[in-house]
């Protein structure tokens, strides 16, 4: 996965609607930073909103959410259907699916900034889940020089068994691997693969599995998400031993968390689909 780019921090004043029987609007200072929305009746420093103890916040990397724009510059912020605000957030709706109603004179700017930080939080969440999966799988990143040396020793193939393309582009029989990496800047985005369908980017980072097979990281992650096994020898990739230097307890805990998170997301996605189908059926009947 490509490096996640942090959006620009934004600060200002908004109006927030309270919950309860007697609803009213309250003026709040807010800061959007690092995929989090902070608000307080006190002024918040843009670069250190967490330094204000008496504040509320939502971490968008913990909860997928939707932003709905209503009439009159009102913004409706709610968890995606099937999810709830994370209980580790700090606001009155934490642990529930209760939406937040916001109002701002700079509605357009706030709307765009919220969308950027919500997307950033979503990417952070996906990146964490991927790192957790890779930790459980026991993957080891391999550089061009190391790959050439290891393949020479093992008489292995320089082809990714998942996509059937070269592990590094424009390489024949593992020659000039270092030159290819240098030309690409050594970054995952900079290395590309040519195929009959054009150029495929993001396949450059190579990893080695505990069963001693080599793949593009992106290809292997996509394969394991569907099959759960090594594409070559069918070894179970979801219950690998922890890498050296890591205790089985800590890695096992991470693996359980990753597995439960993926399972929860899939379950909620199925429930969301069922809810949409039920709603459409009801509408058709009416």
């Amino acid at each position: 996965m490509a490096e996640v780019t942090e959006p620009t921090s934004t600060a200002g004043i908004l109006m927030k609607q309270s919950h309860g029987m007697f609803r009213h609007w309250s003026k709040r200072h807010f800061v959007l930073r690092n995929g989090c929305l902070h608000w307080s009746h006190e002024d918040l420093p843009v670069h250190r909103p967490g330094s204000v103890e008496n504040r509320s916040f939502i971490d968008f990397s913990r909860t997928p959410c939707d932003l709905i724009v209503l009439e009159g510059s009102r913004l409706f912020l709610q968890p995606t259907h099937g999810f709830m605000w994370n209980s580790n957030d700090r606001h009155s709706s934490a642990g529930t699916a209760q939406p937040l109603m916001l109002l701002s004179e700079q509605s357009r700017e706030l709307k765009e900034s919220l969308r950027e930080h919500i997307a950033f939080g979503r990417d952070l969440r996906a990146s964490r889940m991927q790192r957790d999966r890779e930790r459980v799988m026991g993957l080891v990143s391999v550089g061009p020089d190391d790959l050439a040396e290891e393949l020479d020793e093992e008489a292995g193939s320089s082809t990714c068994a998942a996509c059937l393309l070269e592990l590094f582009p424009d390489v024949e029989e593992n020659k000039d691997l270092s030159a290819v990496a240098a030309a690409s800047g050594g970054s995952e985005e900079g290395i590309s693969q040519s195929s009959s369908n054009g150029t495929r980017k993001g396949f450059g980072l190579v990893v080695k599995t505990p069963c001693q097979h080599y793949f593009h990281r992106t290809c292997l992650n996509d394969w394991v998400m569907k099959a759960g096994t090594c594409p070559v020898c069918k070894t179970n990739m979801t219950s690998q031993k922890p890498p050296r230097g890591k205790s089985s307890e800590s890695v096992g805990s991470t693996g359980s968390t990753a597995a439960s998170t993926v399972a929860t997301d899939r379950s909620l996605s199925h429930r969301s689909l069922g809810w949409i189908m039920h709603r459409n059926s009801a509408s058709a009947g009416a």
Side-chain angles (χ1 to χ4, degrees):
M1 177 175 288
E3 182 179 353
V4 180
T5 303
E6 178 185 336
T8 304
S9 298
T10 305
I13 294 176
L14 56 75
M15 302 295 291
K16 177 182 173 296
Q17 190 180 70
S18 65
H19 301 303
M21 185 177 298
F22 303 101
R23 299 190 177 186
H24 61 279
W25 291 91
S26 301
K27 178 181 175 181
R28 293 289 183 265
H29 297 270
F30 81 90
V31 169
L32 272 165
R33 180 172 172 80
N34 294 336
C36 294
L37 170 63
H38 306 259
W39 68 91
S40 174
H41 65 273
E42 301 178 26
D43 193 14
L44 294 170
V46 177
H47 299 294
R48 293 188 60 195
S51 63
V52 177
E53 181 63 27
N54 188 18
R55 80 189 195 288
S56 301
F57 69 86
I58 292 174
D59 184 345
F60 296 128
S61 73
R62 293 172 174 169
T63 307
C65 60
D66 301 316
L67 179 65
I68 302 173
V69 181
L70 305 176
E71 295 181 359
S73 301
R74 291 180 299 168
L75 302 175
F76 194 72
L77 188 62
Q78 65 179 7
T80 298
H81 181 74
F83 290 87
M84 296 187 295
W85 296 119
N86 192 281
S87 58
N88 290 320
D89 289 342
R90 187 191 296 174
H91 56 97
S92 59
S93 298
T96 76
Q98 181 76 38
L100 276 70
M101 186 76 76
L102 308 175
L103 179 64
S104 173
E105 294 181 357
Q106 294 82 33
S107 176
R108 178 179 296 180
E109 292 81 359
L110 177 58
K111 175 186 67 176
E112 294 304 321
S113 187
L114 274 170
R115 283 176 173 167
E116 290 177 0
H117 283 267
I118 288 172
F120 178 68
R122 178 196 61 222
D123 291 342
L124 283 180
R125 176 184 174 89
S127 180
R128 281 201 301 260
M129 291 176 65
Q130 178 170 306
R131 287 197 302 270
D132 287 344
R133 286 195 300 269
E134 292 180 0
R135 190 177 296 113
V136 172
M137 290 189 287
L139 303 184
V140 177
S141 297
V142 180
D145 294 331
D146 294 333
L147 178 65
E149 182 178 343
E150 292 185 23
L151 290 181
D152 283 341
E153 292 177 356
E154 302 169 8
S157 171
S158 63
T159 301
C160 171
C163 69
L164 303 181
L165 296 175
E166 291 292 326
L167 290 169
F168 285 94
D170 305 323
V171 176
E172 295 181 3
E173 300 300 329
N174 306 319
K175 295 179 181 179
D176 301 324
L177 287 172
S178 299
V180 172
S184 68
S187 65
E188 181 177 357
E189 286 298 319
I191 303 176
S192 63
Q193 288 285 1
S194 298
S195 66
S196 58
N197 297 326
T199 300
R200 303 176 62 187
K201 293 185 177 179
F203 287 75
L205 187 57
V206 175
V207 293
K208 181 170 71 171
T209 64
C211 48
Q212 308 302 305
H213 296 121
Y214 301 87
F215 305 93
H216 300 124
R217 186 177 73 172
T218 304
C219 297
L220 182 61
N221 271 290
D222 290 346
W223 181 287
V224 172
M225 283 293 290
K226 296 176 183 178
T229 61
C230 170
V232 175
C233 64
K234 307 305 179 185
T235 296
N236 185 351
M237 297 297 297
T238 61
S239 59
Q240 291 293 328
K241 293 181 180 180
R244 255 180 221 183
K246 299 286 185 180
S247 68
S248 58
E249 180 179 353
S250 62
V251 174
S253 174
T254 303
S256 299
T257 301
S260 63
T261 302
V262 172
T264 300
D265 283 358
R266 287 177 177 170
S267 174
L268 290 170
S269 296
H270 291 160
R271 274 187 272 169
S272 298
L273 179 59
W275 177 82
I276 293 172
M277 295 175 65
H278 173 74
R279 182 185 64 180
N280 292 342
S281 176
S283 298

